[in-house]
Amino acid sequence: MVRAAVLPAVGAPLEITEIELPDPGPGQVRVRLAAAGVCHSDLSLSDGTMRVPVPAVLGHEGAGTVVSVGEGVTGLVPGADVVLNWAPSCGSCHACSLGEVWLCANALSGSADVYARTADGTDLHPGLNVAAFAEETVVPVSCTLPLPDGIPLTDAALLGCAVLTGYGAVHHSAQVRPGETVAVFGVGGVGLSALQAARIAGASTIVAVDVSPEKEELARAAGATEYVVASEDTARQIRALTGKQGVDVAVECVGRAVTIRTAWESTRRGGRTTVVGIGGKDQQVTFNALELFHWGRTLSGCVYGNSDPARDLPILAEHVRAGRLDLGSLVTERIALEGIPAAFDNMLAGKGGRALIVF
């Protein structure tokens, strides 16, 4: 029996309770969590913006130590430290055949499985494959990545989603080049990662945008050279900071129609706007045909930072070891499982960066 945060139904409060984990079966690994990040996607799953089978244990950004392995598992032994990979690629679907593993059609198929049970025998699903909001979890070996040397295990949890997504949005999706100007909308865990990534990429002007004035210090520590408190004037302010042109690249990490539209309007003629934030179906963004022609901007979606975790994790680790990427600075509070609801409330209120559950 291990303690976990269970979502009993969409829209229901999380329940901190004991669950029964089975021993790992063939091809599976049992992992003792060291830490798990509280991501906005977890909030979107709990309120129904994104759908997964319930009841479920949420949490998809985590790192921990292998406790035991099932039959047929090679390359991992008890005691090995791993980062959880919530979106493993199948290697055989059309997207995987194109090398676009972040679009794998089967990446989330494990969320429909029953992986554990409550004390009264109720079946539980792993929210986004890995069920990291628990002291321990059982996952397919494909959902684990060996932790590179020199990375603190607790901080490594952030690599599993926030950093891969924010870094990938800048380097893979937007492909920011040295000297370009960048605006990042939303200074949460992903936005802070994108700001650090823009600095690593050699961007000149880096504008952070958020509704909260209190996040300016966080943003500047991550690499922002300018800070704008979101308003109806945001696009005009960003153009004023970039010679009236607009930024070369805008990265939207909020997922709201008004923010996506503002990010697009803040981008120069011929620039690129990358949408990372996950919004609901009710968030409709509109453009007219003439402005699409006139501005010549590129607007693109971005899934998981267009990242290949197996390829990108060693690269991120090298940035961490070299001091270019600071994982600890993304965390604004360290909490227990009982602190998840308050962390959700802080997200809704636009407070803080990443909340990290430390076990």
Side-chain angles (χ1 to χ4, degrees), residues 61 158-174 176 182 184 188-198 251 253 274 276 302-307 316 325 330 354:
E61 181 181 86
L158 302 164
L159 295 170
C161 182
V163 179
L164 273 169
T165 301
Y167 179 90
V170 168
H171 286 266
H172 303 319
S173 179
V176 173
V182 176
V184 175
V190 173
L192 288 168
S193 300
L195 289 169
Q196 291 203 44
V251 180
C253 303
T274 291
V276 182
C302 176
V303 177
Y304 204 4
N306 292 9
S307 293
L316 294 174
L325 181 59
L330 305 179
R354 201 50 134 212

Side-chain angles (χ1 to χ4, degrees), residues 2-317:
V2 301
R3 295 175 72 246
V6 175
L7 178 70
V10 172
L14 291 179
E15 298 176 355
I16 310 302
T17 185
E18 289 195 333
I19 67 171
E20 183 178 353
L21 277 180
D23 293 329
Q28 292 184 323
V29 178
R30 183 165 178 148
V31 177
R32 180 181 300 114
L33 272 295
V38 182
C39 178
H40 201 281
S41 296
D42 298 309
L43 177 59
S44 296
L45 291 168
S46 71
D47 67 16
T49 300
M50 298 167 61
R51 292 285 184 173
V52 292
V54 290
V57 175
L58 302 183
H60 60 281
E61 181 181 86
T65 302
V66 174
V67 176
S68 57
V69 301
E71 181 183 351
V73 173
T74 59
L76 274 184
V77 296
D81 292 334
V82 294
V83 176
L84 297 180
N85 175 17
W86 62 270
S89 56
C90 70
S92 59
C93 71
H94 181 65
C96 286
S97 72
L98 296 175
E100 298 173 350
V101 298
W102 53 91
L103 298 179
C104 175
N106 302 306
L108 297 181
S109 60
S111 294
D113 295 341
V114 172
Y115 94 110
R117 289 178 172 83
T118 62
D120 65 5
T122 302
D123 290 344
L124 290 173
H125 302 280
L128 284 180
N129 285 326
V130 298
F133 286 174
E135 293 170 330
E136 296 186 10
T137 188
V138 173
V139 298
V141 68
S142 60
C143 286
T144 63
L145 296 164
L147 178 66
D149 293 338
I151 310 301
L153 181 58
T154 300
D155 290 349
L158 302 164
L159 295 170
C161 182
V163 179
L164 273 169
T165 301
Y167 179 90
V170 168
H171 286 266
H172 303 319
S173 179
Q175 299 183 8
V176 173
R177 299 181 288 268
E180 288 193 311
T181 55
V182 176
V184 175
F185 289 74
V187 183
V190 173
L192 288 168
S193 300
L195 289 169
Q196 291 203 44
R199 173 176 45 77
I200 291 170
S204 52
T205 300
I206 304 174
V207 185
V209 183
D210 198 275
V211 296
S212 172
E214 288 75 24
K215 289 188 180 182
E216 180 171 359
E217 184 177 349
L218 272 176
R220 289 190 180 276
T225 60
E226 309 289 342
Y227 192 81
V228 172
V229 178
S231 70
E232 293 181 355
D233 243 5
T234 296
R236 184 189 62 78
Q237 288 179 268
I238 290 176
R239 287 195 295 272
L241 292 169
T242 52
K244 299 183 179 180
Q245 296 300 310
V247 289
D248 296 302
V249 170
V251 180
E252 199 274 355
C253 303
V254 180
R256 294 182 63 234
V258 65
T259 316
I260 294 169
R261 176 74 205 197
T262 302
W264 191 79
E265 291 176 353
S266 301
T267 309
R268 68 167 175 84
R269 194 176 188 190
R272 290 107 63 202
T273 303
T274 291
V275 178
V276 182
I278 301 172
K281 294 180 180 179
D282 61 325
Q283 297 294 313
Q284 299 291 318
V285 189
T286 60
F287 307 90
N288 67 59
L290 180 60
E291 65 180 334
L292 290 173
F293 160 77
H294 173 76
W295 290 104
R297 296 165 174 144
T298 300
L299 177 69
S300 61
C302 176
V303 177
Y304 204 4
N306 292 9
S307 293
D308 178 344
R311 175 199 65 197
D312 294 334
L313 191 60
I315 295 170
L316 294 174

